Amino acid sequence: MEIFLSAVLGDLTSRSINFIINKFSKLTAHTMEENLQGAVIRAQVIVDEAMGRPITNQAMLLQLNMLREAMYRGHYVLDTFRCQPYNEEDAKDQSVSRYSSLSIVNCTKYLCCTSRGARSLKELQETLTNLSSMILDVNELILFLTSCPHLYREPYSMHLQLANCMFGRQMEAHLVINFLLHVQPHSAEELEILPIVGPSYVGKSTLVTHVCKDERVRAHFSEILFFHIQGFKDDELATFRDECELKHQNRVFESNFEGRLLVVIELIGDLNEEAWNMLYSASKRCAPRGSKIIVTSRFDNIVKFGTTQALTLKYLSHEAYWYFFKTLTFGSMDPQMHPRLTHLAMEIAKMVRRRCHLGANIIANLLKDNFDIQLWFEFLAFLRRSYHKLLSRFGEHPSDLPNQKRPILFWRMATSSEDIVVYNGCQHPSEGEVPKIKFQDVLCGSVKTHGKFEVLAWRSRIPPYYSYIYSCEMEGLKGRPMKRKRSMKNGVAHF
């Protein structure tokens, strides 16, 4: 009887302590979650108020950008914490631990040492502390914003605003505008040159187009010219001015305006020093004193041609990409009302390595057009299967392959009897004709195709309004071993 009573009392004591500690942990987590949510909202207010204001101080721009990144981090940590119960492996571990906790020692060890909840609480606390500290540090910035002219804006839904604006490049846009509006000394003879470098689809053309649409920039230059270069031809350089595309012309004449030009040179390929000297000489012949040049390229060697520090664009951080991707995918719907879908969306976002606006829009359009948990689960499984097969065969991530100009072969989601070979994409101007077939429809099997064809991956709704088109080819299972052998020889990457 004593042994029985001791066991019962021990079990009751263990359950009581377990209950008290769990209750205290939940209260703590709930409090920190609310505090972090409040800090994120305060940071969002500051960032939104700063958008569109004429900030020229680079230190303030850097501080604002750091606050923006901390805000994205706060959103990411909150969503990760809220989706934690829907992680299958964690849920299984918690279930096993809950039923195997038969003693005070095991209970305490489970709650204090091995609990994922403890790590989540620590992450919540660290993020909250960091974001709160940054909000306190921007007091001077807030005072500065109150003295700046306020641009009138109608209230907006965030998903509409992000779908129709240049996301994540506010600081870079301010830096480019400051460079363009800076007035050189009258004795300066050489043209000022700003190199902008970054990988493909990172947003170089979008950034420059948005800057060139700024009213301050348009008022500062008499004309804005664009010159797209794929290869150098002597006859093109001889008539450089005629080969440029006129994007803007200021018809207001002023005696001190001097007709200065802004020349934007978009390099498609690589460029050596001799070719650059020829291009610069051609630009200088048609550009009067005070004119400026912006040159964009995927290759870092153009940095040495600049007269000022180059601007390097990188892909979005994981936290910023998640904020952008989540907002586009769920639209006006509250992700907190759909925690399982939010969890799947987070897992899909984690699979994306090249975190660019193009990929986010393509995947978001696929998911929001099919707001079904089964399809989202199938798409996540499709990504994991495809990526793992490529990594096992080639030892590299599929997101790195387009930069190497190698085709990628996908297994079609709708059926395992067909493959889709996707070749390097291209971007078309808005006025050009685009395919009627969408890439996501081919991937999901809602349209029937065969042979070679083109698909529309995404049509941008912001300047320069490019349409992104992929060339594809459908392959069946018949003769797949022979085709695979031939494709491997030609450098086709199979999923």
Side-chain angles (χ1 to χ4, degrees), residues 410-412 415-420 449 474-477 480:
F410 288 93
W411 285 352
R412 205 174 185 184
T415 172
S416 59
S417 62
E418 292 179 317
D419 291 339
I420 311 170
T449 54
M474 192 69 67
E475 291 185 353
L477 273 177
R480 174 173 289 182

Side-chain angles (χ1 to χ4, degrees), residues 321-372:
Y321 181 84
W322 164 244
Y323 179 81
F324 181 64
F325 176 69
K326 176 187 68 172
T327 306
L328 292 181
T329 302
F330 286 91
S332 59
M333 302 182 68
D334 186 0
Q336 294 189 45
M337 302 300 294
H338 304 275
R340 291 186 180 275
L341 290 177
T342 303
H343 170 68
L344 290 175
M346 291 196 77
E347 293 300 313
I348 291 172
K350 290 177 183 177
M351 299 295 297
V352 180
R353 181 172 176 178
R354 195 169 69 166
R355 298 180 292 270
C356 61
H357 301 78
L358 174 62
N361 277 278
I362 293 176
I363 300 176
N365 287 340
L366 169 65
L367 298 180
K368 71 181 181 182
D369 289 343
N370 302 274
F371 215 75
D372 176 71

